[in-house]
Amino acid sequence: MLDVTETTPIAQDEAETLSEHVFRRIQAAIVRGEIAPGSKISEPELARTYGISRGPLREAIHRLEGQKLLVRVPHVGARVVSLSHEELIELYEIRESLEGMACRLAAERMSREEIDELRRLLDLHERDEAFQAGVGYYQQEGDFDFHYRIIQGSGNRTLSQMLCGELYQLVRMYRLQFSAVPNRPRQAFAEHHRILDAIADRDGELAELLMRRHIGASKRNIERHYLDAQAKTANERGES
């Protein structure tokens, strides 16, 4: 009896660790586009790929559904999210409004030390190899993410839960997808600096305006992408 009592918690801890590990790996693969949007999730295949039993795997899948990265389709199962053009624009409209508010609050509430740390973060972003080559923006998440730090700096827990919790990885998935648009990395970096200057000056109104414009510029890039894709499809159909 003693052996059973002592080993059960260890087995549970191992299962939780496995679930966390697989959750992070699948999450990263979806966000980076290594598992394509719309792909059907096969539990047996994932169990074989990651060497994990179905129990911890299902827990990881459930968490990914909570992050909006997987959607449950009736009679089909779980699929990787694939937002339509309209749904993606709606997501960016939400970002534009809520992150603008977060920026205004951050200008009022961030400490001088937090602002200085944010400036050092932008210095780190500027030294990134992909950024220097002009092929993308710094892609680390959490505390290494300029937007994440500002949202946390707002001091509004509900806002943080929405933008740094349930929507964060979904937003990040599309931010990464469109970060390599020509000239956008440099433009985004310059916009980040202007936003930070407004926060440092405690100008909440300007900080909010600049953040809204910043996300609005990303939204327009997405709209141009879809228009270009539609025009290309139309041309190909015309040629055929």
Side-chain angles (χ1 to χ4, degrees):
M1 294 293 293
L2 182 61
D3 289 342
V4 173
T5 303
E6 290 184 342
T7 56
T8 299
I10 294 174
Q12 183 178 350
D13 288 346
E14 288 176 349
E16 289 174 353
T17 301
L18 277 171
S19 179
E20 177 69 22
H21 175 68
V22 170
F23 165 71
R24 293 296 176 192
R25 289 186 65 182
I26 299 174
Q27 179 194 71
I30 293 172
V31 169
R32 293 171 186 162
E34 294 163 9
I35 303 178
S39 299
K40 186 178 185 302
I41 294 299
S42 166
E43 289 188 15
E45 183 179 339
L46 288 176
R48 287 193 300 270
T49 299
Y50 295 107
I52 190 174
S53 65
R54 300 285 280 276
L57 176 60
R58 283 173 179 162
E59 173 60 27
I61 288 173
H62 179 71
R63 291 177 64 188
L64 291 164
E65 288 181 52
Q67 290 190 328
K68 319 295 186 188
L69 293 178
L70 296 181
V71 292
R72 185 70 57 174
V73 181
H75 312 299
V76 176
R79 285 189 179 275
V80 177
V81 66
S82 179
L83 297 183
S84 67
H85 176 211
E86 292 76 14
E87 290 170 332
L88 187 52
I89 293 304
E90 286 178 3
L91 180 63
Y92 269 72
E93 287 172 347
I94 291 170
R95 284 191 65 203
E96 193 174 337
S97 178
L98 295 185
E99 289 197 40
M101 182 198 308
C103 212
R104 173 171 51 80
L105 293 172
E108 299 168 2
R109 299 174 179 177
M110 285 184 79
S111 68
R112 180 55 56 185
E113 291 75 16
E114 289 173 321
I115 292 171
D116 290 343
E117 184 61 31
L118 201 50
R119 204 170 292 282
R120 285 191 288 272
L121 181 65
L122 288 183
D123 290 341
L124 174 65
H125 290 182
E126 188 174 22
R127 295 195 299 271
D128 180 60
E129 289 183 8
F131 179 77
Q132 289 290 331
V135 296
Y137 199 90
Y138 193 78
Q139 296 186 354
Q140 297 302 313
E141 60 184 296
D143 284 340
F144 292 99
D145 178 355
F146 180 79
H147 289 261
Y148 183 96
R149 291 285 282 270
I150 286 179
I151 295 162
Q152 293 292 325
S154 74
N156 186 304
R157 287 180 294 178
T158 302
L159 205 54
S160 295
Q161 183 180 354
M162 293 174 66
L163 294 174
C164 296
E166 58 188 88
L167 290 177
Y168 182 67
Q169 295 297 340
L170 177 63
V171 167
R172 200 167 159 263
M173 172 181 171
Y174 285 98
R175 282 175 59 194
L176 294 186
Q177 183 176 326
F178 291 100
S179 67
V181 173
N183 301 319
R184 185 58 191 156
R186 288 284 174 186
Q187 290 172 355
F189 182 74
E191 290 163 10
H192 283 175
H193 264 291
R194 287 194 289 273
I195 290 166
L196 181 53
D197 287 342
I199 290 173
D201 290 339
R202 304 300 184 186
D203 190 336
E205 184 177 354
L206 178 58
E208 178 172 7
L209 175 64
L210 291 174
M211 179 60 84
R212 290 179 68 102
R213 285 179 177 174
H214 172 63
I215 296 174
S218 296
K219 183 176 68 176
R220 288 190 294 277
N221 277 336
I222 292 169
E223 290 171 331
R224 280 195 294 270
H225 169 82
Y226 277 95
L227 287 173
D228 290 345
Q230 287 175 350
K232 181 179 178 182
T233 300
N235 288 336
E236 289 173 349
R237 287 175 179 170
E239 291 171 359
S240 61

